[in-house]
Amino acid sequence: MTKNPLKISPAIIWVSSIFLGLLSSVPQIAEHHFNAAEAAVNAGITSVFALLMWYLNIYMLSRKSSRPNKQGISYSRLFKSLLIGIGVMLCLAWIQQLILSHINFGPVMLMVEVRGILINLIFYMFLHLLQQNYENQQVNMELEKIKSDSLGAQYELLKQQVNPHFLFNSLNTLKAMVEIGDEEAVDFILKLSNFYRYTLESRKLDLIHVSEEMEILNAYLFLQQARFDGGFSFTSTLNEEILHTLIPPFTLQLLIENCIKHNVVSLDKPLHISLYAEDGQIILENPIRLKTANNNSLGVGLKNITLRYQHLLEKPIEIINDGQIFKIKLPLIHEHHHH
């Protein structure tokens, strides 16, 4: 991280310096025998000292240290600043003595130096805190950028995720259909081709319309119906309004794949999967009939969808499992959410 020079408004520097000069003359103004010349010289000397200390500390704190950047105070710089400040105040006090030669310089010298040290210390601490705050903001911005880049890379990986077992199973199904001379083999090839065309087209997008997702899903369902031959059924009651909302590509396909993968699919008792909208959410529902050999599944598809919704909307999907019915509730994404 590059170290930029501290930037303080000149108005702040000048106004604060003049204010300190006036403040230093208050005791003289309060005296019975008020001397305007003495008060003016004292205020001027203090203001000049404050100005010099402002710019000295800004210069010192802006310089790049040879040591690694630390959050603590650099005591060597603080000591150097105080030492230079004492020297500058001595010079200014000497000038004051030349202008007001009738004043005995000795008794007030300690008070002048203490005042100078306090002013210098306040300026140094203020600028140090300001610099640390700026550097912390820069670090946080860089961390946020790294986090954003990391999330973006993770999201790209999520979009590229395609289950290789699906292609393997589809080709096995196609082989069986060809061997028995099934008339739907040609349609199966076309649907398989369409499905992978949708895959190539949609994987580049963050969001697509639900109607487009349904085209992907219908192609997928045709392939799965050919494979399981009536072992499951699917119904959708999504209306036109819902179909014009947006959804991450392959969300519904992955959810259906999840249902078929984890539940028993049989001709005797077909698995029924329902898709509908309710309370501003798209809901996919199926009865739970878990396969005994599938208890160690990692739920990659469901995790994929959860992470994509978190990345795009910073909203979670809702998962309901009461032991009888399994539901996934997806928040609706309208056009104005799409960047």
Side-chain angles (χ1 to χ4, degrees):
M1 182 178 65
T2 57
K3 190 168 184 177
N4 296 324
L6 282 168
K7 292 181 181 179
I8 307 293
S9 170
I12 293 176
I13 294 174
W14 282 84
V15 169
S16 63
S17 298
I18 293 170
F19 175 76
L20 285 171
L22 294 173
L23 194 64
S24 68
S25 298
V26 169
Q28 290 174 308
I29 295 172
E31 289 179 357
H32 292 294
H33 304 288
F34 172 65
N35 188 315
E38 289 182 12
V41 170
N42 185 60
I45 293 294
T46 305
S47 296
V48 169
F49 175 78
L51 277 172
L52 292 173
M53 291 304 100
W54 264 120
Y55 288 109
L56 170 69
N57 286 309
I58 289 172
Y59 169 74
M60 291 186 67
L61 286 170
S62 298
R63 289 176 60 193
K64 190 173 181 180
S65 176
S66 58
R67 294 182 303 173
N69 186 35
K70 296 180 179 179
Q71 293 293 316
I73 295 173
S74 173
Y75 290 103
S76 61
R77 285 184 178 179
L78 175 59
F79 181 73
K80 193 181 297 183
S81 175
L82 291 175
L83 211 60
I84 294 172
I86 290 171
V88 170
M89 183 53 85
L90 275 172
C91 294
L92 292 174
W94 179 71
I95 294 171
Q96 182 181 16
Q97 179 67 16
L98 290 177
I99 297 171
L100 304 173
S101 56
H102 62 282
I103 297 177
N104 187 1
F105 180 68
V108 298
M109 183 59 198
L110 180 61
M111 182 188 69
V112 170
E113 286 296 350
V114 169
R115 181 200 307 165
I117 290 172
L118 288 174
I119 290 173
N120 198 5
L121 190 60
I122 290 170
F123 286 175
Y124 185 92
M125 295 304 297
F126 172 76
L127 290 170
H128 172 76
L129 291 173
L130 194 67
Q131 183 189 50
Q132 289 299 314
N133 182 59
Y134 171 78
E135 290 179 357
N136 287 337
Q137 287 180 349
Q138 291 294 107
V139 169
N140 288 334
M141 286 173 62
E142 289 183 8
L143 288 174
E144 284 297 321
K145 185 178 182 303
I146 292 169
K147 183 180 176 182
S148 176
D149 291 344
S150 175
L151 286 174
Q154 290 177 26
Y155 181 67
E156 286 302 314
L157 287 174
L158 290 173
K159 289 200 298 181
Q160 303 299 326
Q161 187 186 73
V162 177
N163 189 349
H165 296 292
F166 169 69
L167 179 59
F168 177 76
N169 291 331
S170 297
L171 292 175
N172 277 341
T173 302
L174 178 60
K175 175 178 176 290
M177 292 174 73
V178 171
E179 286 176 348
I180 64 173
D182 194 322
E183 294 179 356
E184 292 188 339
V186 174
D187 286 339
F188 187 92
I189 293 171
L190 291 174
K191 291 292 184 181
L192 184 61
S193 172
N194 286 338
F195 179 77
Y196 277 94
R197 177 172 59 82
Y198 293 140
T199 301
L200 292 173
E201 291 174 354
S202 301
R203 71 195 303 176
K204 302 172 186 176
L205 304 173
D206 291 336
L207 294 168
I208 61 174
H209 285 99
V210 174
S211 57
E212 296 172 289
E213 175 73 4
M214 289 303 295
E215 291 181 18
I216 297 172
L217 183 59
N218 288 332
Y220 175 79
L221 287 170
F222 179 88
L223 300 174
Q224 294 295 65
Q225 289 285 11
R227 178 186 170 195
F228 290 103
D229 193 21
F232 74 95
S233 63
F234 172 80
T235 57
S236 171
T237 58
L238 300 182
N239 58 35
E240 284 298 319
E241 183 182 354
I242 301 298
L243 292 175
H244 282 88
T245 60
L246 301 166
I247 194 168
F250 293 91
T251 298
L252 297 179
Q253 182 268 321
L254 281 172
L255 289 177
I256 298 291
E257 182 179 350
N258 202 56
C259 292
I260 296 171
K261 178 181 177 182
H262 294 287
N263 292 282
V264 175
V265 177
S266 68
L267 286 171
D268 298 334
K269 196 175 181 182
L271 176 70
H272 183 66
I273 305 169
S274 302
L275 180 66
Y276 58 95
E278 187 178 86
D279 299 328
Q281 295 172 309
I282 295 176
I283 303 172
L284 191 78
E285 176 183 311
N286 65 275
I288 298 174
R289 299 208 307 262
L290 294 178
K291 296 176 181 177
T292 54
N294 223 6
N295 294 331
N296 296 324
S297 172
L298 297 176
V300 176
L302 200 55
K303 185 178 180 181
N304 179 302
I305 294 165
T306 302
L307 290 173
R308 284 198 287 171
Y309 268 87
Q310 286 178 351
H311 177 82
L312 290 170
L313 292 180
E314 296 183 354
K315 287 183 179 180
I317 65 173
E318 191 176 349
I319 302 171
I320 299 174
N321 184 349
D322 62 3
Q324 301 294 322
I325 300 294
F326 187 81
K327 290 184 183 180
I328 300 288
K329 296 186 176 183
L330 307 171
L332 286 180
I333 308 173
H334 297 279
E335 289 283 356
H336 64 272
H337 285 140
H338 182 39
H339 300 289

